[in-house]
Amino acid sequence: MKRVYAFGEGNAKMRDLLGGKGANLAEMTSLGFPVPQGFTISTQACLEYLEEAKGLKTELKDEIAEAVSHLEEISGKTFNDPEKLLLVSVRSGAKISMPGMMDTILNLGLNDENVLKLAQITNNERFAYDCYRRLLQMYGNVVYEIDMAKFEKILKQVKLDNHLHYDYELTAEHLKGIVKDYQAIYQEELNHPFPQDVYQQIYAAVEAVFKSWNNQRAIVYRRLNNIPDDLGTAVNIQEMVFGNSGETSGTGVLFTRNPANGKHELYGEYLTNAQGEDVVAGIRTPVSINRLRDQFPNIYQQIIELTEKLEKHYSDMQDIEFTIEDKKLYILQTRNGKRTAQAAVKIAVDFVNEGILSPDQALLTINPESLHTLLHPAFDPNALNQAELVSKLGLPASPGAATGQIVFDAVTAKEWADAGKSVILVRHETSPEDIVGMNSANGIVTSQGGMTSHAAVVARGMGKCCVAGCSELDINEDKKTLSYPGGQLNEGDIISVDGTTGCLYIGEIPTVAGGANEDLDKVLEWSRQHAQLAIRMNAETASDIENGLRFGAVGIGLVRTEHMFFQEDRLIAIRKFLLAKNPADRQTSLDAIRNFQTEDFSHIFELMQEKPVVVRLLDAPLHEFLPHGQNEIKQVAKQLQIDASELSDRVQSMKEVNPMMGHRGCRMGMSYPDLYIMQAEAVIRSAMKVAKDGVKVKPEIMIPLVSSQAELIHLKAKIKEHLENVLKQEKVSMEFTVGVMVETPRACLIADQLANDAEFFSFGTNDLTQLTFGYSRDDAGKFLNQYLDQGILKDDPFQTIDTFAVKELVEIAVERGRSVKENLKIGVCGELGGDPRSIEHFHQVGLSYVSCSPYRVPIAQLAAAQSAIKNV
């Protein structure tokens, strides 16, 4: 197995083997760019090393030695040569860029003898010892894990003793003393000196970079950016060029376009008489790349020409590292530049206009998840840096930024909001009864629950920012206090909530609003043209629907009817129905509920016009509609004019040990068929009402939580019989369909049976995941982070589809359902319908549509387009 490749042997297509950096260095070498020569040790060699954990193989060492000989030959320099001294850098380079996450060592090859040779060759003793002290510092930290602070303490003390501010003010004599002190650290910490043998330096450095693949910051970065753990990193060993060799030298980093806003302009910084680490570490303040035009006009012009060539060659905005050594330019690295969402959409549109990319190619350059920053307000980054942190342990459940006064219950939230105050609703966890307060609040914070908890799902649907499961908060809803590690907050205190990061801050932080964006509109237009999956929205309120339509949703995939019952008058009606003692009282309650529901559905159909709408019949566990606690029971008993003790007994009798797996969904429909029939009638009467205004609606009625064909046959027969009688009485002809929400493993396995009677399927991925894993989606946040940290789970299955079991259940259901009805319409209306990685799987499975919260519609549109483009 070949493990080492000279830059001249590779190309840009070898990213898997050479990593992004190595592949790009090889590509630039083949294009004739001014790249210092070197070689790349492959990702396969890294994986081999990590698997065996026995040090570098003899075969690998032999290949490295051979590659060094080749490098010496083509550079005309050798290690230990008194006239043409070779020094190298050792850098990591994974397939997917992970800036700053792994380790780098510069000036490798220096030792006590070679530093004297370098001083003589360059006639610059200060420069030589500056390079040596940098090597000692980096090598000690990276290879031997010596605390960097031990080196920095010595450096800082020398500058203090000599009244110096900057490293470049240190003289050769200062640096010689620092080198001796640094070498003493090796002896003290390791009980052996810094290695003088150059090959020993190289082999240990390569091992250190391999190991850095599994350092904590790299692991966290991979998890945050959905990068697989099994890629490994390549190691690039490259001839050193020196930006710190005098005032005609320098180093810098630049982007070919502005990464903040996408403008077509060079964006970057450089330093004279410095090495690359100085720019990154912030030791000195760099100057704008535009100043280079005045200082080195010829080099500036050369950079302009090179950046244009690189951008066109890679068809993407480039992030470039360069060094100037005695007025000669070298390109050390290029990679596709990371950018804000605003920049990403502008660059994509500009590249199409400039003929660099086609629309489908441009769509692939944008991260779908990043779009939320264009749709929601965000905190001003400058103000955020100065803010006092309350917690950073919350889950970023719904993006956006909000500031307001803390309130601890939904009633107060509504009262304060109605009085013109901005409020943040803080709860242990929310329930459907909190819906009015949630709607009134600017933001929502919970100490319990996960990314698919009630608070998270509802907040995303409302487009409100939410931080969930912030476990270090001690919330006392009775005393109206919030304790956190740094102190205590009371009701009325102001906090700021960052739903994009999961962080909470004290006080008010200014926000920057997302406004109209013509570039985003163009990107979404292209997305809709390329996507094969239709994108619907989960919505039932006017504001949700208007937002979803604004973003281009083609229909509603889920109307949650239970959300409509928590306004006070409707809650009273449903409670009267559930507690009624005789059929007459029950029918009176049903008539009232039907009138409410007819009004609700009419508004929805009027807004949606002829676009499809799926109405899910009632799904919430019954106990959610009943009062909790003796005070509320007394209050409700008074409202309903019944005895409080009798009500207490009824509430107790309906209480369930495990309500999420209990008396809900179609099981409630089986127990209370009149309730489902009433809801279905309200749907049809609403459709008839808007039809009089010329709106042709074809309602889609969905029965939730079906697990047997018998349930479906029984409920569908009752619903269809009643609706056909209503249409006959009204002398109206209207099409409607009855489908099922597939959200249990059993439903997936009997999908062929269900397809005999169901006219459409829609996967409820929240419950399907919950029931497949046996995890409570509201409680799993207490242990999922640990599972992710320890690698027990690769992803949170409530955020990205589990490809081992849940995806297979979806595939089985699709295959079996369509074996009965070839053109069966099948969608997704759970939270995974808005997740880009899950959407790619749904595209591959061949679903008809996905449905998600309104503010995720643009994300889903782009993800669906990318899935279609990538899977042609």
Side-chain angles (χ1 to χ4, degrees):
M1 180 178 81
K2 185 175 174 65
R3 299 174 177 85
V4 180
Y5 296 79
F7 290 169
E9 295 180 291
N11 58 59
K13 296 179 181 178
M14 297 172 67
R15 294 175 66 89
D16 286 353
L17 194 62
L18 303 180
K21 189 177 296 182
N24 285 336
L25 287 167
E27 185 79 1
M28 288 192 293
T29 298
S30 68
L31 293 170
F33 282 73
V35 176
Q37 282 304 302
F39 56 89
T40 301
I41 303 167
S42 72
T43 56
Q44 286 297 323
C46 173
L47 294 172
E48 188 177 57
Y49 169 84
L50 293 173
E51 184 177 341
E52 297 184 7
K54 294 178 181 177
L56 300 185
K57 282 178 171 282
T58 302
E59 298 94 322
L60 177 56
K61 289 182 178 179
D62 290 344
E63 282 194 61
I64 292 172
E66 187 179 335
V68 168
S69 295
H70 178 66
L71 176 58
E72 289 177 330
E73 183 182 331
I74 61 175
S75 68
K77 301 176 182 178
T78 60
F79 289 120
N80 306 319
D81 192 293
E83 294 182 2
K84 294 182 179 179
L85 180 66
L86 176 64
L87 300 178
V88 296
S89 63
V90 179
R91 300 173 189 264
S92 62
K95 175 186 176 181
I96 300 170
S97 177
M98 298 168 57
M101 292 303 108
M102 293 178 292
D103 294 320
T104 294
I105 301 173
L106 303 179
N107 310 320
L108 196 142
L110 282 176
N111 53 30
D112 292 348
E113 291 184 8
N114 284 344
V115 71
L116 299 174
K117 294 171 187 174
L118 183 62
Q120 188 172 1
I121 292 167
T122 60
N123 196 28
N124 189 336
E125 194 175 41
R126 187 213 168 274
F127 160 69
Y129 278 93
D130 183 48
C131 291
Y132 198 18
R133 69 93 183 168
R134 291 170 186 269
L135 171 62
L136 289 166
Q137 189 166 342
M138 286 189 219
Y139 197 93
N141 179 249
V142 172
V143 175
Y144 295 121
E145 299 181 351
I146 299 172
D147 188 350
M148 188 67 85
K150 293 182 183 296
F151 296 106
E152 291 292 343
K153 183 179 179 182
I154 289 171
L155 188 65
K156 184 178 180 181
Q157 192 60 51
V158 171
K159 287 192 285 188
L160 280 173
D161 292 344
N162 292 279
H163 310 291
L164 305 175
H165 293 287
Y166 302 106
D167 294 357
Y168 63 81
E169 295 175 313
L170 294 164
T171 67
E173 293 306 314
H174 294 145
L175 290 163
K176 285 179 184 179
I178 290 169
V179 164
K180 284 184 179 179
D181 289 342
Y182 279 9
Q183 289 179 325
I185 291 176
Y186 279 78
Q187 203 65 53
E188 292 167 9
E189 293 290 317
L190 309 171
N191 204 29
H192 66 72
F194 171 73
Q196 297 293 303
D197 180 81
V198 173
Y199 283 91
Q200 185 183 343
Q201 291 180 14
I202 291 174
Y203 298 146
V206 170
E207 277 200 74
V209 175
F210 282 167
K211 288 178 183 175
S212 72
W213 176 253
N214 283 330
N215 70 35
Q216 189 59 35
R217 65 181 185 273
I219 291 169
V220 171
Y221 185 92
R222 288 200 295 274
R223 189 191 318 146
L224 292 175
N225 292 276
N226 300 320
I227 298 172
D229 288 324
D230 59 358
L231 298 179
T233 181
V235 181
N236 299 288
I237 296 182
Q238 188 175 24
E239 176 191 353
M240 281 294 302
V241 288
F242 297 99
N244 61 329
S245 58
E247 292 303 314
T248 58
S249 301
T251 187
V253 176
L254 67 87
F255 293 83
T256 55
R257 307 205 178 201
N258 190 314
N261 56 35
K263 287 183 179 178
H264 194 172
E265 60 188 13
L266 283 190
Y267 179 95
E269 301 172 320
Y270 80 102
L271 282 169
T272 54
N273 196 16
Q275 286 196 321
E277 293 303 302
D278 296 340
V279 178
V280 178
I283 295 166
R284 291 165 55 190
T285 303
V287 296
S288 168
I289 195 70
N290 295 319
R291 294 272 295 277
L292 197 63
R293 180 169 37 201
D294 302 323
Q295 190 171 7
F296 301 113
N298 292 337
I299 288 175
Y300 184 81
Q301 186 57 38
Q302 191 181 355
I303 284 175
I304 293 289
E305 293 170 4
L306 288 173
T307 54
E308 289 177 356
K309 289 178 182 177
L310 283 169
E311 203 173 66
K312 286 178 181 176
H313 182 77
Y314 285 102
S315 300
D316 207 338
M317 182 260 275
Q318 294 297 290
D319 171 2
I320 299 168
E321 293 179 19
F322 68 92
T323 286
I324 303 164
E325 183 181 74
D326 195 20
K327 296 187 178 179
K328 184 174 181 181
L329 175 68
Y330 293 93
I331 304 296
L332 304 184
Q333 175 181 322
T334 192
R335 60 190 172 202
N336 294 341
K338 296 191 179 298
R339 66 210 78 173
T340 65
Q342 180 184 350
V345 296
K346 177 168 177 52
I347 290 168
V349 172
D350 285 351
F351 272 23
V352 172
N353 293 337
E354 293 167 26
I356 295 174
L357 294 175
S358 62
D360 56 338
Q361 291 170 327
L363 290 175
L364 294 177
T365 68
I366 305 168
N367 176 5
E369 282 288 2
S370 71
L371 294 186
H372 68 72
T373 61
L374 299 180
L375 309 174
H376 295 274
F379 288 125
D380 183 308
N382 295 325
L384 203 59
N385 290 335
Q386 309 299 319
E388 183 180 345
L389 188 70
V390 172
S391 174
K392 60 180 180 181
L393 295 187
L395 298 172
S398 183
T403 295
Q405 294 177 274
I406 297 172
V407 295
F408 293 92
D409 63 88
V411 173
T412 306
K414 186 174 189 307
E415 288 175 355
W416 287 24
D418 289 346
K421 296 179 180 179
S422 296
V423 300
I424 302 295
L425 178 62
V426 177
R427 305 278 285 158
H428 290 301
E429 56 186 339
T430 61
S431 71
E433 288 191 11
D434 293 322
I435 198 81
V436 174
M438 295 172 75
N439 188 52
S440 301
N442 279 15
I444 298 151
V445 176
T446 68
S447 60
Q448 299 172 18
M451 294 290 282
T452 56
S453 63
H454 178 268
V457 171
V458 173
R460 283 195 290 271
M462 292 177 169
K464 290 183 183 292
C465 85
C466 173
V467 171
C470 193
S471 56
E472 66 179 341
L473 302 183
D474 183 4
I475 297 169
N476 190 318
E477 294 175 356
D478 294 328
K479 294 183 179 179
K480 300 186 182 299
T481 62
L482 181 162
S483 299
Y484 63 101
Q488 179 176 297
L489 296 169
N490 302 304
E491 187 166 72
D493 289 343
I494 294 175
I495 62 169
S496 292
V497 180
D498 192 334
T500 305
T501 65
C503 294
L504 309 176
Y505 302 90
I506 290 176
E508 183 173 357
I509 302 173
T511 58
V512 180
N517 190 313
E518 292 180 6
D519 294 320
L520 177 60
D521 293 341
K522 178 59 70 175
V523 164
L524 296 180
E525 180 187 326
W526 292 336
S527 297
R528 289 189 287 272
Q529 290 169 0
H530 284 86
Q532 293 172 19
L533 279 169
I535 309 301
R536 298 192 187 186
M537 60 176 144
N538 299 340
E540 52 275 339
T541 67
S543 61
D544 283 354
I545 293 168
E546 287 163 1
N547 282 324
L549 291 174
R550 178 164 59 92
F551 295 137
V554 300
I556 293 179
L558 177 63
V559 171
R560 299 180 181 93
T561 55
E562 56 274 6
H563 285 185
M564 300 170 170
F565 284 95
F566 288 100
Q567 294 179 25
E568 188 172 353
D569 51 354
R570 294 156 191 236
L571 193 56
I572 290 173
I574 192 71
R575 283 169 171 170
K576 284 183 176 178
F577 169 79
L578 293 173
L579 299 168
K581 294 180 179 179
N582 57 66
D585 289 347
R586 181 162 290 167
Q587 188 59 50
T588 300
S589 301
L590 278 176
D591 291 341
I593 294 169
R594 185 186 62 242
N595 292 336
F596 290 138
Q597 292 266 269
T598 302
E599 181 184 340
D600 292 332
F601 298 141
S602 296
H603 287 319
I604 291 171
F605 291 145
E606 284 167 3
L607 288 167
M608 294 301 295
Q609 294 293 298
E610 296 179 6
K611 292 182 174 65
V613 175
V614 174
V615 177
R616 181 178 71 186
L617 301 179
L618 207 60
D619 184 39
L622 287 181
H623 76 93
E624 289 189 357
F625 297 112
L626 299 175
H628 306 284
Q630 289 305 311
N631 289 337
E632 191 179 358
I633 286 173
K634 288 177 183 177
Q635 183 182 350
V636 170
K638 188 175 181 181
Q639 276 181 333
L640 302 182
Q641 297 180 330
I642 59 176
D643 182 71
S645 60
E646 181 184 346
L647 177 57
S648 181
D649 291 342
R650 290 294 302 278
V651 168
Q652 190 62 34
S653 69
M654 297 176 77
K655 188 176 180 181
E656 295 181 278
V657 174
N658 193 345
M660 290 304 288
M661 296 176 68
H663 201 182
R664 55 173 285 226
C666 67
R667 302 156 200 165
M668 184 173 60
M670 294 293 290
S671 300
Y672 301 95
D674 290 350
L675 192 55
Y676 269 20
I677 290 168
M678 172 279 301
Q679 283 193 293
E681 181 182 337
V683 170
I684 291 301
R685 289 195 179 279
S686 302
M688 288 191 293
K689 181 179 177 183
V690 299
K692 292 177 182 177
D693 298 323
V695 179
K696 294 181 180 178
V697 178
K698 184 181 175 182
E700 300 177 32
I701 299 169
M702 184 160 68
I703 302 173
L705 215 65
V706 170
S707 291
S708 72
Q709 185 180 14
E711 287 171 325
L712 174 58
I713 291 171
H714 181 85
L715 288 171
K716 181 183 176 184
K718 284 182 173 293
I719 289 168
K720 291 206 77 166
E721 180 184 5
H722 182 77
L723 295 187
E724 285 166 1
N725 286 336
V726 170
L727 291 170
K728 187 176 179 180
Q729 289 169 7
E730 299 294 334
K731 298 179 181 179
V732 172
S733 175
M734 176 172 290
E735 289 185 59
F736 64 90
T737 55
V738 178
V740 295
M741 196 166 181
V742 179
E743 45 195 330
T744 71
R746 192 175 196 275
C748 294
L749 297 174
I750 63 163
D752 49 347
Q753 298 175 30
L754 297 179
N756 284 308
D757 299 283
E759 290 160 289
F760 65 88
F761 286 175
S762 182
F763 289 101
T765 55
N766 299 346
D767 272 315
L768 183 57
T769 301
Q770 176 172 243
L771 294 170
T772 301
F773 274 90
Y775 295 164
S776 162
R777 70 189 199 213
D778 290 327
D779 299 317
K782 295 173 183 175
F783 59 83
L784 277 180
N785 281 339
Q786 178 189 354
Y787 275 35
L788 294 168
D789 287 341
Q790 296 179 2
I792 292 168
L793 288 175
K794 181 185 172 190
D795 297 296
D796 180 341
F798 292 107
Q799 295 183 56
T800 295
I801 191 167
D802 163 53
T803 56
F804 294 100
V806 178
K807 182 190 173 190
E808 187 172 351
L809 286 169
V810 170
E811 290 171 342
I812 289 168
V814 171
E815 180 185 353
R816 294 184 182 179
R818 286 185 175 157
S819 71
V820 174
K821 290 180 180 172
E822 184 178 353
N823 296 315
L824 182 66
K825 181 163 58 179
I826 305 177
V828 165
C829 60
E831 285 302 298
L832 300 187
D835 170 61
R837 286 191 289 161
S838 302
I839 285 170
E840 183 162 5
H841 293 299
F842 297 142
H843 168 89
Q844 292 167 349
V845 171
L847 299 192
S848 312
Y849 67 86
V850 296
S851 188
C852 55
S853 57
Y855 275 91
R856 293 196 72 82
V857 167
I859 294 168
Q861 287 172 344
L862 177 55
Q866 290 180 344
S867 299
I869 294 164
K870 287 187 284 188
N871 291 280
V872 172

